[in-house]
């Protein structure tokens, strides 16, 4: 699966995802030289480059974009604090989710004590 980590996701998570049992291609927005790209344009670029999933912490993306126009799964990592330590807690849930057939649009993974 070809995954894109949004620029609000700490780069350390790329290493964690690369260590999942299932092998994924993992890129950051910076890797693609797409920093500063607005969400709508980012989703278009992802579709053109054959990405399978966007992983973000942007809780507003579902309100900003019409996912009927972008047939792409987006996973929102929803934590109390946007830090590596808080996001790392969600990695086992993310790993399990990436083993499923993801629907187009938003799927949220929440920090349990949130």
């Amino acid at each position: 699966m070809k995954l894109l980590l949004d620029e609000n996701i700490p780069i350390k998570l790329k290493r964690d995802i690369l260590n999942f049992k299932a092998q994924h291609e993992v890129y950051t927005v910076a890797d693609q030289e797409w920093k500063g790209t607005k969400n709508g344009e980012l989703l278009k670029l992802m579709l053109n480059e054959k990405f399978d999933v966007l992983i973000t912490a942007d809780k507003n993306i579902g309100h900003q974009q019409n996912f009927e126009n972008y047939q792409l799964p987006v996973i929102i990592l929803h934590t109390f604090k946007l830090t590596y330590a808080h996001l790392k807690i969600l990695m086992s849930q993310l790993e399990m989710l990436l083993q499923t057939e993801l629907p187009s649009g938003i799927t949220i993974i929440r920090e349990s004590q949130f």
Side-chain angles (χ1 to χ4, degrees):
M1 194 174 294
K2 189 173 179 183
L3 311 175
L4 182 69
L5 301 181
D6 203 356
E7 58 189 295
N8 56 18
I9 300 294
I11 194 137
K12 289 180 181 181
L13 286 183
K14 179 178 177 178
R15 178 193 64 226
D16 294 339
I17 295 168
L18 287 170
N19 287 326
F20 287 175
K21 288 178 186 172
Q23 297 297 306
H24 301 289
E25 293 178 62
V26 185
Y27 301 88
T28 66
V29 169
D31 292 338
Q32 295 298 114
E33 299 181 357
W34 295 342
K35 281 185 115 180
T37 304
K38 299 290 183 199
N39 287 335
E41 184 62 26
L42 183 65
L43 295 170
K44 288 178 191 173
L45 289 167
M46 288 182 65
L47 289 170
N48 288 339
E49 295 294 322
K50 309 277 192 254
F51 277 90
D52 297 304
V53 179
L54 172 64
I55 299 172
T56 186
D58 182 352
K59 297 169 192 80
N60 294 317
I61 194 169
H63 303 290
Q64 298 167 346
Q65 302 303 317
N66 179 353
F67 283 96
E68 290 179 13
N69 297 333
Y70 307 105
Q71 296 299 308
L72 189 70
V74 175
I75 298 173
I76 298 175
L77 303 179
H78 193 279
T79 60
F80 177 67
K81 279 185 152 181
L82 189 56
T83 64
Y84 174 71
H86 283 265
L87 290 166
K88 185 165 177 52
I89 294 167
L90 303 179
M91 289 303 97
S92 63
Q93 291 177 65
L94 178 62
E95 184 173 15
M96 287 188 301
L97 184 61
L98 290 173
Q99 294 173 24
T100 67
E101 179 98 16
L102 291 168
S104 182
I106 303 296
T107 301
I108 300 173
I109 300 175
R110 295 182 191 277
E111 189 174 2
S112 61
Q113 65 259 70
F114 199 43

Short mmCIF file of all heavy atoms in Angstrom, two decimals, residues 48-75:
data_model
loop_
_atom_site.label_atom_id
_atom_site.label_comp_id
_atom_site.label_asym_id
_atom_site.label_seq_id
_atom_site.Cartn_x
_atom_site.Cartn_y
_atom_site.Cartn_z
N ASN A 48 -3.15 11.37 -8.69
CA ASN A 48 -2.29 11.32 -9.88
C ASN A 48 -1.07 10.44 -9.67
O ASN A 48 -0.60 9.80 -10.61
CB ASN A 48 -1.83 12.72 -10.28
CG ASN A 48 -2.95 13.54 -10.88
OD1 ASN A 48 -3.95 13.01 -11.36
ND2 ASN A 48 -2.80 14.85 -10.85
N GLU A 49 -0.55 10.40 -8.44
CA GLU A 49 0.65 9.63 -8.12
C GLU A 49 0.31 8.23 -7.58
O GLU A 49 1.19 7.54 -7.09
CB GLU A 49 1.52 10.39 -7.11
CG GLU A 49 2.09 11.68 -7.64
CD GLU A 49 3.09 11.47 -8.76
OE1 GLU A 49 3.87 10.49 -8.70
OE2 GLU A 49 3.09 12.27 -9.71
N LYS A 50 -0.97 7.87 -7.65
CA LYS A 50 -1.43 6.52 -7.27
C LYS A 50 -1.20 6.18 -5.79
O LYS A 50 -0.88 5.05 -5.44
CB LYS A 50 -0.77 5.44 -8.14
CG LYS A 50 -0.88 5.70 -9.62
CD LYS A 50 -2.22 5.23 -10.15
CE LYS A 50 -2.23 5.21 -11.66
NZ LYS A 50 -2.99 6.26 -12.27
N PHE A 51 -1.37 7.17 -4.90
CA PHE A 51 -1.34 6.89 -3.47
C PHE A 51 -2.63 6.20 -3.08
O PHE A 51 -3.69 6.44 -3.67
CB PHE A 51 -1.17 8.19 -2.67
CG PHE A 51 0.26 8.64 -2.56
CD1 PHE A 51 0.81 9.50 -3.50
CD2 PHE A 51 1.06 8.19 -1.51
CE1 PHE A 51 2.12 9.91 -3.41
CE2 PHE A 51 2.38 8.61 -1.41
CZ PHE A 51 2.91 9.46 -2.36
N ASP A 52 -2.54 5.36 -2.06
CA ASP A 52 -3.71 4.62 -1.58
C ASP A 52 -4.40 5.27 -0.40
O ASP A 52 -5.62 5.16 -0.25
CB ASP A 52 -3.31 3.19 -1.19
CG ASP A 52 -2.78 2.42 -2.38
OD1 ASP A 52 -3.50 2.33 -3.40
OD2 ASP A 52 -1.64 1.93 -2.31
N VAL A 53 -3.62 5.92 0.49
CA VAL A 53 -4.16 6.45 1.75
C VAL A 53 -3.40 7.69 2.17
O VAL A 53 -2.17 7.75 2.05
CB VAL A 53 -4.04 5.40 2.89
CG1 VAL A 53 -4.58 5.94 4.21
CG2 VAL A 53 -4.75 4.10 2.53
N LEU A 54 -4.14 8.68 2.70
CA LEU A 54 -3.54 9.84 3.37
C LEU A 54 -3.70 9.63 4.86
O LEU A 54 -4.80 9.30 5.34
CB LEU A 54 -4.25 11.13 2.96
CG LEU A 54 -3.84 12.39 3.72
CD1 LEU A 54 -2.36 12.74 3.48
CD2 LEU A 54 -4.73 13.57 3.35
N ILE A 55 -2.61 9.82 5.61
CA ILE A 55 -2.65 9.77 7.07
C ILE A 55 -2.37 11.18 7.57
O ILE A 55 -1.34 11.77 7.23
CB ILE A 55 -1.62 8.76 7.61
CG1 ILE A 55 -1.94 7.36 7.08
CG2 ILE A 55 -1.61 8.78 9.15
CD1 ILE A 55 -0.89 6.32 7.39
N THR A 56 -3.30 11.71 8.35
CA THR A 56 -3.22 13.09 8.79
C THR A 56 -3.70 13.24 10.23
O THR A 56 -4.31 12.31 10.77
CB THR A 56 -4.05 14.00 7.86
OG1 THR A 56 -3.86 15.38 8.22
CG2 THR A 56 -5.53 13.66 7.90
N ALA A 57 -3.45 14.39 10.81
CA ALA A 57 -4.02 14.74 12.10
C ALA A 57 -5.00 15.91 11.95
O ALA A 57 -5.48 16.45 12.93
CB ALA A 57 -2.92 15.09 13.10
N ASP A 58 -5.28 16.28 10.70
CA ASP A 58 -6.17 17.40 10.39
C ASP A 58 -7.62 16.98 10.60
O ASP A 58 -8.22 16.32 9.75
CB ASP A 58 -5.93 17.85 8.95
CG ASP A 58 -6.77 19.05 8.54
OD1 ASP A 58 -7.66 19.46 9.31
OD2 ASP A 58 -6.54 19.57 7.43
N LYS A 59 -8.19 17.39 11.72
CA LYS A 59 -9.55 16.99 12.07
C LYS A 59 -10.60 17.70 11.22
O LYS A 59 -11.76 17.30 11.20
CB LYS A 59 -9.80 17.26 13.55
CG LYS A 59 -8.90 16.44 14.46
CD LYS A 59 -8.98 16.92 15.89
CE LYS A 59 -7.91 16.32 16.75
NZ LYS A 59 -6.62 16.96 16.63
N ASN A 60 -10.22 18.74 10.49
CA ASN A 60 -11.18 19.50 9.69
C ASN A 60 -11.25 19.06 8.24
O ASN A 60 -12.10 19.54 7.51
CB ASN A 60 -10.81 21.00 9.74
CG ASN A 60 -10.98 21.56 11.12
OD1 ASN A 60 -11.97 21.28 11.79
ND2 ASN A 60 -10.03 22.35 11.57
N ILE A 61 -10.39 18.17 7.81
CA ILE A 61 -10.34 17.79 6.40
C ILE A 61 -11.67 17.25 5.90
O ILE A 61 -12.07 17.49 4.76
CB ILE A 61 -9.17 16.83 6.10
CG1 ILE A 61 -8.92 16.74 4.59
CG2 ILE A 61 -9.41 15.47 6.73
CD1 ILE A 61 -7.64 16.04 4.22
N GLY A 62 -12.39 16.54 6.74
CA GLY A 62 -13.69 16.00 6.34
C GLY A 62 -14.73 17.07 6.08
O GLY A 62 -15.65 16.87 5.28
N HIS A 63 -14.59 18.23 6.72
CA HIS A 63 -15.51 19.34 6.51
C HIS A 63 -15.07 20.21 5.35
O HIS A 63 -15.87 20.94 4.78
CB HIS A 63 -15.61 20.19 7.78
CG HIS A 63 -16.04 19.41 8.98
ND1 HIS A 63 -17.31 18.91 9.12
CD2 HIS A 63 -15.36 19.02 10.07
CE1 HIS A 63 -17.40 18.25 10.27
NE2 HIS A 63 -16.22 18.29 10.86
N GLN A 64 -13.78 20.14 5.00
CA GLN A 64 -13.23 21.00 3.96
C GLN A 64 -13.32 20.38 2.57
O GLN A 64 -13.28 21.10 1.58
CB GLN A 64 -11.75 21.31 4.25
CG GLN A 64 -11.53 22.07 5.53
CD GLN A 64 -10.06 22.06 5.94
OE1 GLN A 64 -9.25 21.29 5.43
NE2 GLN A 64 -9.71 22.94 6.86
N GLN A 65 -13.39 19.06 2.49
CA GLN A 65 -13.33 18.37 1.19
C GLN A 65 -14.56 17.51 0.96
O GLN A 65 -15.10 16.93 1.90
CB GLN A 65 -12.08 17.48 1.12
CG GLN A 65 -10.78 18.23 1.32
CD GLN A 65 -10.59 19.37 0.34
OE1 GLN A 65 -10.85 19.24 -0.84
NE2 GLN A 65 -10.12 20.49 0.84
N ASN A 66 -14.96 17.42 -0.28
CA ASN A 66 -16.06 16.56 -0.68
C ASN A 66 -15.45 15.25 -1.18
O ASN A 66 -14.88 15.20 -2.26
CB ASN A 66 -16.88 17.22 -1.79
CG ASN A 66 -18.02 16.37 -2.26
OD1 ASN A 66 -18.16 15.21 -1.86
ND2 ASN A 66 -18.86 16.93 -3.10
N PHE A 67 -15.57 14.20 -0.40
CA PHE A 67 -14.92 12.94 -0.73
C PHE A 67 -15.64 12.16 -1.81
O PHE A 67 -15.19 11.10 -2.21
CB PHE A 67 -14.64 12.12 0.53
CG PHE A 67 -13.45 12.67 1.26
CD1 PHE A 67 -13.61 13.55 2.30
CD2 PHE A 67 -12.17 12.34 0.86
CE1 PHE A 67 -12.51 14.10 2.94
CE2 PHE A 67 -11.06 12.88 1.48
CZ PHE A 67 -11.23 13.76 2.53
N GLU A 68 -16.74 12.69 -2.32
CA GLU A 68 -17.32 12.10 -3.53
C GLU A 68 -16.44 12.46 -4.72
O GLU A 68 -16.39 11.73 -5.70
CB GLU A 68 -18.75 12.61 -3.74
CG GLU A 68 -19.71 12.06 -2.70
CD GLU A 68 -21.12 12.58 -2.89
OE1 GLU A 68 -21.41 13.17 -3.96
OE2 GLU A 68 -21.93 12.38 -1.98
N ASN A 69 -15.71 13.58 -4.62
CA ASN A 69 -14.80 14.00 -5.69
C ASN A 69 -13.44 13.30 -5.60
O ASN A 69 -12.71 13.26 -6.59
CB ASN A 69 -14.57 15.52 -5.64
CG ASN A 69 -15.84 16.30 -5.88
OD1 ASN A 69 -16.75 15.83 -6.54
ND2 ASN A 69 -15.91 17.49 -5.33
N TYR A 70 -13.09 12.82 -4.44
CA TYR A 70 -11.78 12.19 -4.21
C TYR A 70 -12.02 10.80 -3.64
O TYR A 70 -12.27 10.66 -2.45
CB TYR A 70 -10.93 13.01 -3.24
CG TYR A 70 -10.78 14.45 -3.64
CD1 TYR A 70 -11.48 15.45 -2.96
CD2 TYR A 70 -9.96 14.81 -4.69
CE1 TYR A 70 -11.34 16.78 -3.33
CE2 TYR A 70 -9.83 16.14 -5.07
CZ TYR A 70 -10.52 17.11 -4.38
OH TYR A 70 -10.40 18.42 -4.75
N GLN A 71 -11.96 9.79 -4.46
CA GLN A 71 -12.17 8.42 -4.01
C GLN A 71 -10.89 7.91 -3.37
O GLN A 71 -10.14 7.15 -3.97
CB GLN A 71 -12.61 7.54 -5.18
CG GLN A 71 -13.94 7.95 -5.77
CD GLN A 71 -15.07 7.85 -4.75
OE1 GLN A 71 -15.25 6.82 -4.11
NE2 GLN A 71 -15.82 8.91 -4.59
N LEU A 72 -10.66 8.37 -2.15
CA LEU A 72 -9.40 8.10 -1.46
C LEU A 72 -9.67 7.97 0.03
O LEU A 72 -10.34 8.82 0.61
CB LEU A 72 -8.45 9.27 -1.73
CG LEU A 72 -7.02 9.15 -1.31
CD1 LEU A 72 -6.28 8.16 -2.19
CD2 LEU A 72 -6.34 10.51 -1.44
N PRO A 73 -9.14 6.93 0.67
CA PRO A 73 -9.26 6.83 2.13
C PRO A 73 -8.34 7.83 2.82
O PRO A 73 -7.19 8.03 2.39
CB PRO A 73 -8.81 5.40 2.44
CG PRO A 73 -8.86 4.67 1.15
CD PRO A 73 -8.60 5.69 0.09
N VAL A 74 -8.85 8.44 3.86
CA VAL A 74 -8.08 9.36 4.69
C VAL A 74 -8.22 8.90 6.13
O VAL A 74 -9.33 8.76 6.63
CB VAL A 74 -8.57 10.82 4.55
CG1 VAL A 74 -7.83 11.74 5.51
CG2 VAL A 74 -8.43 11.30 3.11
N ILE A 75 -7.08 8.65 6.78
CA ILE A 75 -7.09 8.24 8.18
C ILE A 75 -6.67 9.44 9.01
O ILE A 75 -5.59 10.01 8.80
CB ILE A 75 -6.14 7.06 8.43
CG1 ILE A 75 -6.60 5.84 7.61
CG2 ILE A 75 -6.06 6.73 9.93
CD1 ILE A 75 -5.63 4.68 7.65
#
